[in-house]
Amino acid sequence: MKLTTKLSLTALALSVTSLAQAAETTFINCTSRSPSGFSPALVMDGISYNASSQQIYNRLVEFKRGSTEIEPGLAENWEISDDGLTYTFHLRKGVKFHSNKEFTPSREFNADDVVFSFQRQLDKNHPYHKVSNGTYPYFNAMKFPSLLKSVEKVDDHTVKITLNQQDATFLASLGMDFISIYSAEYADKMLAAGKPETIDSQPIGTGPFVFAGYQVDQAIRYLANKDYWKGKAPIDRLIFSITPDASARYAKLQTGACDMMDFPNASDLAAMKEDKKIQLMSQEGLNVAYVALNVEKKPLDNVKVRQALNYATDKQTIIQAVYQGAGIPAKNPLPPTIWGYNDKIEDYPFDLEKAKQLLTEAGYPDGFEIELWVQPVVRNSNPNPRRMSEILQADWAKIGVKAKLVTYEWGDYIKRTKAGELGAGTYGWSGDNGDPDNFLSPLLGCSNIGNSNYARWCNQDYQGLLDKAIGLSDKNERAKLYEQAQVIVKEQAPWVTIAHSVTYTPLSLRVRDYKQSPFGYSSFYGVRVE
């Protein structure tokens, strides 16, 4: 009798354990490609931010889910000095860092971690500055090296940041992924162990999910952070299933092998809207797709040539063939969803005769040959770079411009672009803080030549407007200056602006409370599955 009772109790225990395991939830995100890295300070693309900063890390301030509005993050509150140059942040107490096989924290998050995360990128003599071949692309694109005067620890829970000049975008910029907060203690331990690059490949943060492993080009795994300061995520396990083919991602979504997919084929959207097996979310994207024209290379150094290529681009055909209803023609580098957009600007119409006239005036009556680089990856701003490039090639041929399509692997593509090797090339950008400067300065500012200003265009009148605007606190006054800046861009034509896309997110029917980010990122904290 005692044996039977013991067996019954054992069976009951096993049953309870099975029920508990069954109650655990797993969310599978089918993503289009592998991240370029897991260290948000080192990368500058949404796929990598989704795999790192959006899940693993926090920042001093953060954006409310589905919004461009900032809210307290690792800083509970802050004060700004009357002259707008000093920001004093009061840090949240009781925040714990993750652990892994290499590291178990002995203390909670404090000011040392904030100072480390800034100084690594700011101080060229910092012991971590050159680790993992660090170049800090977004930190530099946002001009933080010249903006930041000092980042100081006042006490364990207070940090003072002093600027060299006023910057109306600074608070919003602190919510961006590149300035995520790392563990200084983890960094110190790995440096002492002689393997400092570990902090970039085996990430540890304070965020809602703990990095649990990466199978190259197959899957990334995460576990819910049970000690997360906002409370444990409803999802217990998060998996990024790397599935390059969009049709395969859709098939997996339909069969329940995925709960979400990114970058659906534009040609599948009509079917998705009628598909009862999925739910399709959409919103106007905070993005732009464009062709950068390298103004340092002949004949693109001639403004009439650049204008001619604008006139020779049939955007309506591109919108129909490439976006298939999921985009609108772009006439400015800013999307119309952001304040400061200049709607009074008239776009270049599709006018082949005008294009030929301009080429003749520029000294190229018979056209010329050029390389047109094809972006090798799908991004929020461009669902099919190859098809877009083929249409551009055909359009430009009508005015005698023979474009040879060239592409490279993504990392090499960006490296060569930054080195100025391109003639013309397809690119895209999604905003990261909801401010116009986040488009106009990184993409076309003089100081970002060699970084994210792929056209290598520098116009002092344009730059002067940006410099003046960023020092003002009045939003209306800033907007007027940005409107003037867009006029200069249109006239000087360093780009052919192509489109602003609508962002679509297909989800399985069991997903609840997912919110689309206006920045095109995917954060899974707060998402539930039934």
Side-chain angles (χ1 to χ4, degrees):
M1 186 71 176
K2 289 180 180 178
L3 179 60
T4 304
T5 304
K6 186 175 182 180
L7 285 172
S8 298
L9 289 172
T10 302
L12 179 61
L14 288 171
S15 177
V16 169
T17 301
S18 298
L19 285 169
Q21 290 174 341
E24 290 189 344
T25 55
T26 299
F27 188 102
I28 302 176
N29 171 36
C30 277
T31 186
S32 58
R33 66 175 173 87
S34 301
S36 55
F38 291 96
S39 187
L42 301 176
V43 297
M44 199 177 180
D45 67 281
I47 292 286
S48 298
Y49 289 151
N50 286 344
S52 60
S53 40
Q54 289 293 309
Q55 322 308 332
I56 300 167
Y57 291 92
N58 291 116
R59 290 145 291 283
L60 289 177
V61 303
E62 305 202 330
F63 295 101
K64 291 183 179 179
R65 290 182 68 210
S67 168
T68 60
E69 183 181 350
I70 61 169
E71 64 180 0
L74 291 176
E76 285 188 309
N77 53 71
W78 52 86
E79 297 104 32
I80 306 172
S81 62
D82 291 340
D83 62 8
L85 297 178
T86 302
Y87 291 69
T88 304
F89 294 93
H90 303 284
L91 307 182
R92 196 176 298 277
K93 298 178 182 178
V95 176
K96 297 180 180 180
F97 277 100
H98 308 157
S99 301
N100 63 17
K101 292 179 181 178
E102 300 279 356
F103 172 72
T104 300
S106 67
R107 61 166 176 80
E108 295 176 341
F109 156 76
N110 68 25
D112 293 330
D113 305 307
V114 177
V115 172
F116 167 81
S117 301
F118 278 81
Q119 289 297 126
R120 175 189 181 178
Q121 302 185 66
L122 180 63
D123 181 3
K124 293 182 178 179
N125 296 316
H126 192 278
Y128 263 87
H129 187 75
K130 295 181 181 178
V131 168
S132 303
N133 297 313
T135 56
Y136 315 107
Y138 221 147
F139 189 85
N140 291 321
M142 296 300 290
K143 297 182 283 191
F144 269 34
S146 59
L147 176 64
L148 297 175
K149 182 177 182 180
S150 62
V151 181
E152 304 169 274
K153 174 183 177 179
V154 177
D155 57 44
D156 276 353
H157 294 98
T158 312
V159 171
K160 183 172 71 172
I161 299 178
T162 305
L163 309 183
N164 283 310
Q165 61 266 348
Q166 289 188 20
D167 186 327
T169 71
F170 184 61
L171 264 184
S173 297
L174 294 184
M176 293 167 62
D177 296 64
F178 76 90
I179 203 65
S180 295
I181 304 302
Y182 294 67
S183 166
E185 186 185 13
Y186 182 32
D188 288 343
K189 182 173 180 180
M190 293 302 99
L191 187 64
K195 46 184 181 182
E197 67 283 346
T198 305
I199 74 165
D200 297 316
S201 61
Q202 302 293 322
I204 277 181
T206 58
F209 293 97
V210 179
F211 179 75
Y214 173 43
Q215 295 168 276
V216 177
D217 294 335
Q218 294 183 50
I220 313 166
R221 299 179 185 277
Y222 310 82
L223 297 174
N225 178 5
K226 296 178 180 178
D227 297 318
Y228 188 44
W229 55 273
K230 288 186 181 180
K232 179 186 168 297
I235 298 169
D236 297 293
R237 294 180 178 85
L238 176 62
I239 298 172
F240 281 28
S241 175
I242 299 164
T243 312
D245 184 74
S247 297
R249 294 197 296 277
Y250 185 21
K252 284 186 175 184
L253 188 66
Q254 289 177 307
T255 59
C258 291
D259 293 299
M260 175 178 147
M261 65 170 281
D262 62 8
F263 306 136
N265 281 327
S267 57
D268 288 333
L269 290 173
M272 286 182 171
K273 291 174 183 177
E274 303 299 325
D275 192 336
K276 292 182 167 39
K277 294 180 181 179
I278 69 167
Q279 47 182 325
L280 184 64
M281 301 183 71
S282 67
Q283 68 174 7
E284 290 187 24
L286 201 67
N287 60 51
V288 62
Y290 64 96
V291 178
L293 306 175
N294 186 346
V295 301
E296 293 181 352
K297 285 196 172 184
K298 290 185 177 298
L300 299 176
D301 61 336
N302 189 313
V303 66
K304 290 186 177 182
V305 170
R306 301 196 300 268
Q307 290 172 345
L309 293 178
N310 273 271
Y311 277 113
T313 298
D314 185 356
K315 294 182 188 178
Q316 288 299 337
T317 295
I318 291 175
I319 296 299
Q320 292 167 10
V322 176
Y323 292 85
Q324 298 191 27
I328 60 172
K331 62 182 181 180
N332 294 321
L334 288 182
T337 50
I338 202 168
W339 62 272
Y341 178 80
N342 190 342
D343 198 31
K344 294 179 181 178
I345 286 176
E346 291 188 13
D347 201 5
Y348 293 98
F350 181 51
D351 188 336
L352 295 175
E353 291 307 312
K354 180 67 174 178
K356 291 176 183 177
Q357 176 192 332
L358 286 168
L359 282 187
T360 300
E361 291 175 6
Y364 299 93
D366 300 320
F368 53 87
E369 295 182 0
I370 191 173
E371 286 188 351
L372 175 58
W373 288 17
V374 183
Q375 180 179 288
V377 296
V378 171
R379 305 182 78 182
N380 280 323
S381 55
N382 190 341
N384 194 335
R386 169 63 59 172
R387 182 72 183 113
M388 178 185 290
S389 300
E390 290 168 348
I391 295 171
L392 287 165
Q393 182 185 45
D395 284 345
W396 294 357
K398 296 170 185 174
I399 60 169
V401 175
K402 300 177 180 65
K404 178 184 177 182
L405 302 187
V406 175
T407 194
Y408 301 94
E409 180 274 328
W410 179 234
D412 196 29
Y413 189 84
I414 294 301
K415 182 179 179 181
R416 288 171 178 267
T417 297
K418 290 180 178 180
E421 294 181 22
L422 82 153
T426 55
Y427 300 90
W429 181 267
S430 293
D432 291 303
N433 67 10
D435 194 282
D437 184 80
N438 185 236
F439 283 81
L440 301 177
S441 184
L443 296 175
L444 292 163
C446 294
S447 64
N448 279 311
I449 292 174
N451 192 14
S452 49
N453 180 348
Y454 300 153
R456 306 180 76 84
W457 176 72
C458 177
N459 180 284
Q460 293 302 326
D461 292 336
Y462 172 87
Q463 189 62 53
L465 291 167
L466 265 56
D467 292 343
K468 183 177 180 181
I470 207 164
L472 300 176
S473 57
D474 188 309
K475 189 173 180 179
N476 291 329
E477 290 301 313
R478 292 183 66 208
K480 292 176 184 177
L481 295 173
Y482 293 138
E483 288 171 6
Q484 294 175 42
Q486 289 164 77
V487 171
I488 296 173
V489 173
K490 204 67 199 174
E491 292 173 348
Q492 292 297 308
W495 287 4
V496 179
T497 50
I498 302 292
H500 308 292
S501 74
V502 176
T503 302
Y504 284 91
T505 304
L507 303 164
S508 70
L509 295 177
R510 74 188 196 119
V511 177
R512 300 288 182 272
D513 297 335
Y514 179 82
K515 292 185 182 296
Q516 286 186 290
S517 163
F519 310 120
Y521 298 149
S522 296
S523 173
F524 296 104
Y525 183 72
V527 178
R528 298 181 296 111
V529 289
E530 292 182 354

